[in-house]
Amino acid sequence: MHRKVARFDDQLPVDHRLSRVYRVGAGLMGLVLLVFGILGLIDRIGFFDTGGDTVAGLSTNGALGVLSICVGLLLFAGMVIGGNIASTLNMVLGVVFVLSGFVNLALLDTGLNFLAFRMQNVLFSFVVGLMLMMFGMYGRVSGGLPHDNPYWRARHPEEAEHEQRLARRRAVEEMPVVRRDGTGQGLSGGSGAAAPTLIRRTGPGG
């Protein structure tokens, strides 16, 4: 049987609880990068200075500070938008941070290290990247998803359809039925009002 594949661009409901996870991840990582970038600019470090100036134990310069602020604002925008946009943004930037860690690891102690990276910056880049990827992928590729998750339903169409049939059957069974005498009765047999009294019509001798 043809198996439906979950697409990453399927839109979630606006109030879906997964959106809160994506928002929190984007906002938290965005705040960290924004604070780091602002502190670097406040110290008035040269734009491409590689003299080893540090902020919160991380080496930085003006270029890295501006870049951190820009990425932080981008994550804040994802937090405001929420939904699949925030999720996808988290995943994409997470991959970028991991790749940046590898690239800058190769550029350490070279003349191309324009962002003044040190080993602690490389480790920080890996950590931020993995955190962003974790927040972005939550509910999309992880196991143990709730059955109202749209990605779980796309990966398990038969089970999802079976649960929908059961839900519709329960709704029908709980639906009240209006009788001709005006009383309400569910399909389970419970009466919504007292049964009317039966009056027999008899003849003159009755």
Side-chain angles (χ1 to χ4, degrees):
M1 180 177 293
H2 177 68
R3 188 178 183 87
K4 184 179 178 183
V5 179
R7 294 175 52 191
F8 280 166
D9 58 350
D10 288 338
Q11 290 299 312
L12 295 174
V14 176
D15 58 345
H16 200 283
R17 58 179 173 269
L18 287 178
S19 183
R20 293 196 292 269
V21 177
Y22 306 147
R23 289 175 183 268
V24 169
L28 181 61
M29 296 295 101
L31 180 62
V32 171
L33 294 173
L34 198 61
V35 171
F36 173 73
I38 291 175
L39 290 178
L41 293 182
I42 289 177
D43 288 344
R44 296 184 178 181
I45 303 171
F47 201 74
F48 290 112
D49 184 17
T50 57
D53 297 285
T54 60
V55 171
L58 298 174
S59 179
T60 187
N61 59 17
L64 184 58
V66 171
L67 184 60
S68 299
I69 292 175
C70 292
V71 176
L73 292 176
L74 185 60
L75 286 170
F76 270 118
M79 178 190 68
V80 172
I81 297 173
N84 274 19
I85 294 179
S87 172
T88 303
L89 183 64
N90 286 343
M91 287 191 292
V92 171
L93 289 181
V95 172
V96 170
F97 268 91
V98 172
L99 293 178
S100 172
F102 283 113
V103 171
N104 285 285
L105 178 62
L107 296 178
L108 291 180
D109 300 325
T110 69
L112 298 177
N113 187 16
F114 298 115
L115 296 180
F117 261 58
R118 295 291 182 269
M119 183 55 69
Q120 59 267 30
N121 297 73
V122 172
L123 297 177
F124 177 76
S125 184
F126 286 149
V127 171
V128 172
L130 293 176
M131 291 291 292
L132 284 173
M133 291 172 63
M134 181 189 70
F135 279 116
M137 292 180 180
Y138 181 82
R140 300 180 79 164
V141 298
S142 57
L145 301 176
H147 290 191
D148 64 340
N149 182 286
Y151 303 106
W152 182 91
R153 301 178 73 84
R155 295 168 192 156
H156 306 84
E158 295 180 1
E159 296 180 41
E161 185 178 355
H162 177 66
E163 291 185 358
Q164 284 183 335
R165 285 199 300 267
L166 292 178
R168 286 195 295 265
R169 185 180 302 173
R170 285 194 297 267
V172 171
E173 291 175 351
E174 296 172 359
M175 186 180 301
V177 177
V178 179
R179 297 168 54 183
R180 290 184 178 181
D181 56 12
T183 61
Q185 183 179 15
L187 295 181
S188 59
S191 177
T197 303
L198 180 63
I199 301 176
R200 290 185 59 189
R201 297 185 64 182
T202 61

